[in-house]
Amino acid sequence: MATAEGQQHPISVYFWVWGLLFVLSLFSYMVDYFQFQGMLRWTLIIIFMLLKAGLIVSIFMHMVWERLALMYAILLPPLLLLVLVGIAAGESDYTFLTRLAFFDEVTEFTGHH
Amino acid sequence: MAQDAIANTGYQEVVSDWSGDRQAFQVPWGKAMMWIFLLSDVFIFGCFLSGYMAVRVAAVDPWPNPAEVFALSFGGDPIPLILIAIMTFILISSSGTMAMAVNFAYRNDRVKTATLIFITAVFGAMFVGMQVFEWTKLIVEEGVRPWSNPMGAAQFGSVFFMITGFHGMHVTIGVIYLITVAVKVMRGDYDNPRPGKGRYELVEIAGLYWHFVDLVWVFIFAFFYLW
């Protein structure tokens, strides 16, 4: 917990997280290197990304030792972005289909690829 | 703290902290303000990445394959994404040295703190340097423009320059910020002989900004380079 003296934790904690971040980054690079495709690729990318983000926020940024009032105020609002992502996904699907339906050059573009 | 006696667990603590006409966050005000600034930055990058998703889904031309676009050859066969991987490791290393700096700051170790912050800034400068190299290669050799590129969907260029450019700007500002903090630490500006009166939380606040820059890169790496 944060005190007047500030955040003091054993250095070994930071070395552990540092090492884990290296390993996780290596893993996510390997996903591309070994050319995993489709659902497996996306799942692995998201898992490694969330693990890295979690480690950085909780340990390096000390969030795990802060009070819940600060945690909630900072970590909950970004969830609203999921709404934006949902709306944008539906809208861009519609744009894509509209382009396919109305633009002639589309067939030309997709044809040679 | 007296109020802790009343309610100090789980949701009760949140209610207690947010009510009663007093300070909600039991942290130095600068730290609360940095967190709130970073929250606003989350929304900026969140909007960029959602916008990127939207234009990529709506693009009718094939999206250029980042593994090929960002491949680099050291004499032999091109290695996919190698520069981006090195940049990722550099940024993570800089986060590690920054975490160490914060730790030594709270131990009032002036010289070690300043040195570690300075090393962090050097890593950051290396990152920006590699990004300049990446941009130059893409613009001059590959002919990528914000409005078109020879590899496929025209939206690729605008998304790339917008997102990595904004992130690179954050790193650049961070490097300047870190150097000023390192100089202040070295001068002893945060020292105070009275116990508990040092202002080393300012190092932690700078650290929050720096870790956030690393955090954003985690998302850019996943969604833009690997997806």
Side-chain angles (χ1 to χ4, degrees), chain B residues 14-84:
Chain B
V14 179
V15 174
S16 161
D17 280 355
W18 276 99
S19 55
D21 281 345
R22 52 187 173 72
Q23 181 182 332
F25 302 118
Q26 316 287 325
V27 292
W29 69 269
K31 189 163 149 186
M33 288 301 108
M34 179 53 88
W35 267 117
I36 289 165
F37 165 72
L38 294 181
L39 177 60
S40 72
D41 237 12
V42 167
F43 278 91
I44 289 183
F45 282 104
C47 290
F48 281 170
L49 287 172
S50 320
Y52 152 61
M53 177 201 69
V55 296
R56 184 164 174 173
V57 169
V60 281
D61 302 332
W63 196 260
N65 180 3
E68 288 165 18
V69 177
F70 301 103
L72 207 61
S73 153
F74 301 99
D77 288 336
I79 309 168
L81 281 184
I82 187 67
L83 183 67
I84 310 304

Side-chain angles (χ1 to χ4, degrees), chain B residues 31-217:
Chain B
K31 189 163 149 186
M33 288 301 108
M34 179 53 88
W35 267 117
I36 289 165
F37 165 72
L38 294 181
L39 177 60
S40 72
D41 237 12
V42 167
F43 278 91
I44 289 183
F45 282 104
C47 290
F48 281 170
L49 287 172
S50 320
Y52 152 61
M53 177 201 69
V55 296
R56 184 164 174 173
V57 169
V60 281
D61 302 332
W63 196 260
N65 180 3
E68 288 165 18
V69 177
F70 301 103
L72 207 61
S73 153
F74 301 99
D77 288 336
I79 309 168
L81 281 184
I82 187 67
L83 183 67
I84 310 304
I86 296 170
M87 284 164 78
T88 303
F89 285 117
I90 284 181
L91 212 54
I92 285 172
S93 304
S94 80
S95 249
T97 53
M98 190 68 224
M100 297 288 147
V102 174
N103 202 278
F104 281 114
Y106 281 129
R107 290 159 203 254
N108 290 354
D109 194 328
R110 202 166 53 86
V111 177
K112 273 191 187 141
T113 306
T115 312
L116 282 162
I117 300 175
F118 189 71
I119 293 171
T120 310
V122 170
F123 275 133
M126 279 165 71
F127 180 90
V128 177
M130 294 174 112
Q131 201 167 37
V132 168
F133 173 80
E134 184 197 16
W135 275 47
T136 311
K137 183 167 172 287
L138 233 60
I139 296 169
V140 177
E141 288 175 30
E142 320 271 344
V144 177
R145 299 288 180 272
W147 52 86
S148 75
N149 67 74
M151 286 90 78
Q155 293 91 335
F156 178 82
S158 57
V159 167
F160 172 77
F161 291 122
M162 182 84 162
I163 294 179
T164 64
F166 216 77
H167 179 263
M169 194 186 80
H170 273 75
V171 181
T172 311
I173 292 170
V175 169
I176 296 165
Y177 181 16
L178 287 183
I179 290 172
T180 62
V181 173
V183 169
K184 278 165 167 286
V185 169
M186 209 56 205
R187 277 204 310 233
D189 284 10
Y190 300 156
D191 285 332
N192 192 315
R194 283 184 294 162
K197 290 289 176 190
R199 298 174 66 225
Y200 276 102
E201 79 264 14
L202 291 170
V203 176
E204 193 192 351
I205 295 169
L208 285 180
Y209 178 86
W210 192 258
H211 294 312
F212 177 77
V213 166
D214 187 21
L215 180 68
V216 170
W217 184 254

Side-chain angles (χ1 to χ4, degrees), chain A residues 1-2 4-11 14-15 18 21-22 25-26 28-29 32-33 35 41-42 45-46 48-50 52-53 56-57 60-63 66-70 72-74 77-78 80-81 84-85 88-89 92-93 95-96 99-100 106 109-110 113, chain B residues 4 10-11 13-14 17-18 24-27 31 35-36 38-39 42-43 46-47 50 53-54 57-62 67 79-82 85 88-89 92-93 95-97 99-100 102-104 106-107 155 204 208 211-212 214-215 218-219 221-223 226-227:
Chain A
M1 180 138 308
E5 286 80 40
Q7 299 272 0
Q8 275 178 315
H9 313 287
I11 277 191
Y14 297 106
F15 276 119
W18 201 349
L21 287 173
F22 256 88
S25 296
L26 191 68
S28 31
Y29 179 65
D32 189 73
Y33 195 81
Q35 281 299 306
R41 179 188 189 90
W42 299 324
I45 290 174
I46 297 259
F48 295 144
M49 177 191 81
L50 289 180
K52 278 164 76 180
I56 293 172
V57 173
F60 277 2
M61 298 173 93
H62 296 143
M63 202 43 132
E66 299 290 359
R67 295 168 72 91
L68 271 179
L70 186 66
Y72 284 175
I74 302 302
L80 285 174
L81 283 167
L84 180 65
V85 169
S92 49
D93 264 339
T95 310
F96 178 70
R99 283 175 174 169
L100 284 189
V106 166
F109 275 129
T110 47
H113 221 284
Chain B
D4 289 352
Y11 192 64
E13 185 196 68
V14 179
D17 280 355
W18 276 99
F25 302 118
Q26 316 287 325
V27 292
K31 189 163 149 186
W35 267 117
I36 289 165
L38 294 181
L39 177 60
V42 167
F43 278 91
C47 290
S50 320
M53 177 201 69
V57 169
V60 281
D61 302 332
I79 309 168
L81 281 184
I82 187 67
T88 303
F89 285 117
I92 285 172
S93 304
S95 249
T97 53
M100 297 288 147
V102 174
N103 202 278
F104 281 114
Y106 281 129
R107 290 159 203 254
Q155 293 91 335
E204 193 192 351
L208 285 180
H211 294 312
F212 177 77
D214 187 21
L215 180 68
V218 168
F219 287 87
F221 184 57
F223 287 133
L226 292 179
W227 205 258

